[in-house]
Amino acid sequence: MRRKQRHWQNEGWDRVLKDKILALLIEKVTAEIAGLSKILEEALTAATHEEARPENQYDTRSVEASYLAAGQGQRIEGLRRALSVLRQIRVRKFTSADAIGLGALVTLSSGDRSSYYFFSPVAGGYQLDCGDRVVNVITPESRMGQSLLDKVEGDEIEVSASRHMLVEKIE
């Protein structure tokens, strides 16, 4: 199965779309921070609540709640750092001669099926609904990111996809 990779700019996608993608990504990260903040607040309340006091030496409710609160706090801090990075990104236009790197929009095609990727320094794993297309956010640390990083049109890459190895040709 062969899949072709193209920079979106060649299909008429431009800076406006990248700005929309960044805005959607910032919105998603901000919403996740808000949701996790509520969970953190609940965990902190549970850890310090009068009913959380241990009834015996085997009762670990308050300890478990404090571990949950600590984990949520770390996740929130990581998302806040990612949000700060996202707010500083300045999109740039890539040409077909440019190597794929941070800020690139990439299309991988296989027959009549296409998938779309935005190369971000942070916040990988999000899927963004951009109207008629879903854009997957990838980072250089991801397997897909490592496969695409510094490739140009005409290169071939191999991508493992659920027990199948796909050869991708970059157009």
Side-chain angles (χ1 to χ4, degrees):
M1 178 187 293
R2 290 212 178 268
R3 294 172 80 185
K4 303 174 211 168
Q5 181 278 333
R6 299 185 295 279
H7 294 284
W8 260 355
Q9 287 75 8
N10 295 341
E11 297 179 352
W13 293 85
D14 59 5
R15 184 181 195 118
V16 173
L17 179 61
K18 287 184 183 180
D19 286 340
K20 178 180 179 180
I21 288 170
L22 277 173
L24 287 170
L25 188 53
I26 288 170
E27 184 180 307
K28 279 209 174 210
V29 172
T30 301
E32 188 170 351
I33 289 170
L36 289 174
S37 295
K38 184 175 180 179
I39 292 170
L40 172 61
E41 193 175 305
E42 292 169 1
L44 287 172
T45 300
T48 58
H49 195 272
E50 182 179 305
E51 291 179 12
R53 287 189 199 159
E55 295 175 6
N56 58 48
Q57 65 185 13
Y58 302 107
D59 188 351
T60 60
R61 286 177 290 181
S62 65
V63 172
E64 291 169 2
S66 66
Y67 285 152
L68 176 62
Q72 293 298 342
Q74 290 173 352
R75 176 74 178 134
I76 290 168
E77 281 309 306
L79 287 169
R80 284 184 179 145
R81 284 191 300 275
L83 191 58
S84 175
V85 170
L86 291 171
R87 287 183 172 145
Q88 294 175 25
I89 292 176
R90 299 296 171 249
V91 297
R92 71 178 183 97
K93 184 175 181 173
F94 285 78
T95 68
S96 61
D98 291 333
I100 295 171
L102 295 176
L105 284 170
V106 180
T107 302
L108 295 178
S109 300
S110 177
D112 61 347
R113 188 176 149 261
S114 296
S115 49
Y116 308 97
Y117 299 90
F118 177 70
F119 218 112
S120 174
V122 293
Y126 286 95
Q127 289 190 328
L128 307 172
D129 184 359
C130 293
D132 62 341
R133 296 163 195 214
V134 174
V135 176
N136 300 288
V137 179
I138 59 172
T139 63
E141 294 79 24
S142 69
R143 226 181 301 168
M144 181 64 80
Q146 290 173 5
S147 296
L148 290 173
L149 189 63
D150 294 327
K151 299 296 190 248
V152 295
E153 288 189 26
D155 290 344
E156 288 191 359
I157 60 171
E158 290 185 2
V159 179
S160 173
S162 56
R163 299 187 208 166
H164 301 292
M165 187 61 73
L166 303 174
V167 177
E168 312 283 346
K169 181 168 180 174
I170 300 175
E171 284 187 348

